[in-house]
Structure formats: structure tokens, C-alpha cells
Amino acid sequence: MRQPTRSSYARRAAQLEPALGWTYLSREALARAKAQMDEESMGVRDEIGFLTIHQRYADHFFPGTSVLHTRARYAIFVPWLFEDLAGLTGPAADRALRERERVLAGRLREVGESQVIGGRVFPKPSSQPPSTVYWNALAVWGILRPRLDGRTISRAHAHRMLRSVSTATDDDGQPLLGFDPPFVPLPERPDNWRDGSITLRLATTEAKFLREHLAQLRGSGGNRELSLLARLVRTEAASPTGMWDDETRAIAGPDRTPLARAQQAANLAGVGRAIYDALLEHIVEANDKREVTTRHRDHLASTAAEYGAVAAKLNVDALEADIGGLPTKLRDVVTATKEWIVSKSTDPRPLFGVYAAAEARKGPRARLPLTPNGRARRLEWSNDEHGLAGPLHYRWEQVSTLLNDLANAE
């Protein structure tokens, strides 16, 4: 197959010059955006707050991961892209990086790669490019050096640091000491990095580089034991079939008991989400006088039957010992949901009060309140189009892809 040339990509770039620049967000804004992206990527709106449990356990077991991660090689692509642009700062660096990421998406799509960030919208630039999706991972995984105060440097700061490194020379043109680049020494770039056919398959040297960093990751908490991700990486094997498999539990070490508790919490959240949907469906029918199917109420019965036995074993105090105290109203929901499961009830309506109190955090977007505003929000909800509730997944799909990419390097 004839490969596109560098000049052909340059011509496309000239014809498709993006009109919008980047905006660098505050730490708080990035945190809110991350939470929203996690919600949307999980296929549900987190009305009650179960995402808190999801994020805390996922960050503990699999530090630096995100539901937006696709393939491991992006963790090397992003630093390479930044280093290629050494000397550029400000809007010029933003534009150049966005264009390089857009072109990279096209090159990867051209060879038939799947899970390409920006592949679906190409030739337009992605709204969540690799440099955004993987920036936190680069910091947590020790590939992006921290600031002197320990905080993560911004992308703008990384551009400025690279410019300082590239221009810091003495009178003889030799680099001056004392100017640390933002990234640790990276694997050597392949010959096809700048032009020609390129894939998302890791080279052996790249896999070794990532494995060395990931194998050192510690979980959260005071004991600072190796994380489950680090233990999985150290096996140098492909991903276990599931997060709850005996193979995964055997590797978990000190996290074996928290892992079992995470499964209990995941199942309880699955039942809790189904309860919320069933309550909403009932209110639409009984209070709003609209005809609806019993789709979510039927799903609650099957969800409770499938996940209730494991969920009923959850010790809420031990859960909080694992991941920290829960918001009061979320704790009330978790406790009430467990009691409902243990009671073998089939009617979720007695849980209305505690679920409505938890959803109140959504303010005017809450759907359960028996108010004109709540009714207006329910008019926007379609029980037949709303996805069926399921347990928390703790980013296992992304972790599995990462492990398989490392194992399948060539």
C-alpha cells in the first residue's frame, strides 16, 4: 500500500487550519472536567454520587489511569510531540501541538488502527487530544517531572521549560547545566516517527521504559504498598480475564481484601443505580401521569438477583477505611441500599427520601423532586433511551488494554 508522504499531510494541514485555540484550565476546572468525562464515559449520569467510590478505588488500584485512555504508546507519543516543538511557547506552541496531534490521528487511522484518539472526528482536531488525556498519567507515572513544589507542571510550563533547555547554551554553543527538561529521558524515536506508516504497537524498548515506570507505582493510603497496577505490570503477562478473577486476586497482595470490597461496592452501586432509574420510572407514571414501560423496574429485579448477594456483604466502615470517608448523603444511600438488598424487598419506593436527598446535590438538574422543576427535568428523560444500570468497572477495560499492549510489544 502506498503510504502518504509528509508533504501530503502538510497540504492537508494547510487546507484544514483549525480555527480555535486551546484554553488552559485551572486545577479545579480540570478536576470538574475529569469527573464529567468519567461520568459520560461510563455511559450514565452519576445522579447519586457512586462515581466517588469508582474514582477513589480506581485511583488506588490503578494510579494515573483514566477512562479516556486508549493505547499505551500515547504515553510516549505525547512527550515526543512536546520535545519536537522545543523552542515554541504560547499560542504558537498550542497551535503546533494541536496540528501535530491531528496529523498523528490521521496517520494512525490511515493504517487501520483502532482506538485512535481523534480518529472519529479526523480531519478535525479532537476536543480531547492525547496531550490532554494522558497528561495526568505522565505525571503520576513519573515520565513528566514535577515542579519544585511537587505539583504537576502545566502543558504551557512544559513548553517554556523545553524552550529554556533548547536555548540555554554557553558562548561556545554548548548546553548549560542546570536546565532540567520536563520529561525524563525517553526511548529513541523510530525512523517512521515523523513521516510514513506508524502504529500504536509498542516497540520492545518502549514497553521496557513504561514497565520500569509503572512497576514502581504505589497505591494510596499510609502503607504505600505497591499498587495493583504495579503488581500486574511486574508479571509481564497479558491481562487477566477479569478484575475479580482468581488470577487478579492472587497478584493483589495487600490489596486482596480491598479488592473484594471494591467488588462488593461495585455491585451495590449497580443495584443503587437501578433503584434510582426504577424510582424515576415510577414517578413519571404515578405522579406525572405519563405512560411508560416497566423497563427499568424489570431491570432492577434482575440486577438485584444477579449482584445482590455480593453487594450485601459490603462493610461500609471498612469501605471508608479503604478509600476515605464518603459524603454523608452518599453514605446514607449506600447504607440504605444494603439494608434494602438484605431485606429481599422488591419495592424501591421506601428509598425515595434518601435517594432524593442525595440527588439534591445536582441542584436544579435533579429529577426525583416532586416539584415543577423536577417534573420539567423528567420531561427530558426517556426511560426507553436511558441506558440500563450496571456495576462500577474501575477502569478495568483501560487497564487490560495497557497490560496487553505491554505484553504484545515487538
Side-chain angles (χ1 to χ4, degrees):
M1 181 177 69
R2 182 176 180 270
Q3 299 298 335
T5 64
R6 185 175 181 180
S7 59
S8 69
Y9 282 113
R11 286 194 297 272
R12 286 187 213 171
Q15 295 167 357
L16 298 163
E17 178 65 22
L20 297 176
W22 280 6
T23 300
Y24 288 102
L25 303 177
S26 67
R27 181 176 294 270
E28 293 75 15
L30 284 171
R32 290 194 299 271
K34 179 179 182 295
Q36 181 180 356
M37 289 187 294
D38 275 4
E39 279 187 39
E40 293 172 352
S41 299
M42 291 170 68
V44 295
R45 290 177 60 86
D46 187 49
E47 307 292 359
I48 303 303
F50 291 117
L51 190 61
T52 297
I53 298 173
H54 174 271
Q55 289 177 328
R56 290 185 187 178
Y57 266 130
D59 287 344
H60 172 74
F61 294 132
F62 312 122
T65 58
S66 165
V67 292
L68 298 180
H69 285 180
T70 59
R71 302 292 297 277
R73 207 177 188 195
Y74 278 115
I76 298 176
F77 280 170
V78 171
W80 280 346
L81 288 169
F82 269 76
E83 289 188 347
D84 286 352
L85 301 176
L88 294 178
T89 60
D94 299 346
R95 288 192 298 269
L97 178 60
R98 182 182 59 210
E99 178 59 11
R100 284 290 302 276
E101 290 180 302
R102 188 192 71 81
V103 170
L104 177 61
R107 293 173 63 197
L108 292 168
R109 200 177 76 154
E110 189 92 24
V111 298
E113 283 283 13
S114 60
Q115 298 179 284
V116 175
I117 298 178
R120 292 182 180 178
V121 299
F122 183 83
K124 296 179 180 179
S126 172
S127 61
Q128 294 293 333
S131 57
T132 299
V133 172
Y134 281 84
W135 197 252
N136 181 63
L138 295 175
V140 174
W141 296 349
I143 299 171
L144 175 67
R145 291 189 170 104
R147 298 190 339 176
L148 292 177
D149 60 7
R151 297 174 62 189
T152 301
I153 66 172
S154 68
R155 287 167 293 173
H157 189 187
H159 284 305
R160 292 195 297 271
M161 291 175 69
L162 285 165
R163 181 173 184 178
S164 297
V165 171
S166 67
T167 58
T169 58
D170 59 22
D171 292 341
D172 296 323
Q174 297 301 311
L176 289 174
L177 299 178
F179 285 83
D180 290 333
F183 303 104
V184 299
L186 301 166
E188 185 177 350
R189 291 159 172 75
D191 293 338
N192 61 351
W193 167 239
R194 283 286 194 161
D195 196 10
S197 175
I198 192 167
T199 72
L200 287 168
R201 188 155 191 164
L202 287 165
T204 303
T205 55
E206 297 164 7
K208 180 182 178 182
F209 168 82
L210 289 177
R211 192 175 284 114
E212 288 173 349
H213 284 270
L214 294 169
Q216 306 304 317
L217 293 174
R218 307 284 167 171
S220 58
N223 57 17
R224 304 299 293 165
E225 295 279 357
L226 285 176
S227 66
L228 178 56
L229 177 57
R231 293 174 185 276
L232 288 165
V233 167
R234 288 182 177 211
T235 69
E236 300 190 16
S239 172
T241 304
M243 188 170 175
W244 321 121
D245 286 1
D246 290 342
E247 183 182 357
T248 309
R249 295 179 191 275
I251 294 169
D255 271 333
R256 187 167 184 172
T257 299
L259 185 63
R261 209 151 28 236
Q263 182 183 16
Q264 296 161 5
N267 286 9
L268 185 141
V271 175
R273 287 169 165 172
I275 287 172
Y276 173 84
D277 293 338
L279 286 170
L280 196 55
E281 198 172 67
H282 169 74
I283 294 170
V284 169
E285 181 180 78
N287 293 74
D288 300 347
K289 307 302 180 184
R290 290 163 47 200
E291 290 188 6
V292 291
T293 66
T294 60
R295 178 171 176 255
H296 292 284
R297 284 167 284 185
D298 295 341
H299 183 63
L300 171 59
S302 61
T303 299
E306 183 175 359
Y307 301 112
V310 172
K313 298 177 182 178
L314 179 64
N315 181 313
V316 182
D317 291 334
L319 168 73
E320 292 188 310
D322 287 343
I323 61 174
L326 301 177
T328 301
K329 292 180 180 178
L330 175 59
R331 195 185 200 282
D332 292 343
V333 164
V334 171
T335 302
T337 301
K338 177 184 172 180
E339 292 172 352
W340 183 87
I341 293 170
V342 171
S343 74
K344 306 292 185 181
S345 175
T346 58
D347 183 3
R349 288 176 293 178
L351 295 173
F352 173 80
V354 70
Y355 272 68
E359 194 197 20
R361 77 192 224 287
K362 307 287 282 190
R365 293 178 293 152
R367 291 192 173 116
L368 288 179
L370 305 179
T371 62
N373 189 70
R375 183 169 184 170
R377 299 287 76 76
R378 290 191 293 275
L379 285 171
E380 302 167 354
W381 182 80
S382 169
N383 73 323
D384 289 330
E385 296 178 2
H386 187 75
L388 294 173
L392 304 176
H393 57 69
Y394 304 123
R395 308 173 196 151
W396 178 252
E397 181 179 348
Q398 289 73 29
V399 171
S400 294
T401 300
L402 171 60
L403 295 171
N404 290 334
D405 277 351
L406 291 172
N408 296 327
E410 61 180 15

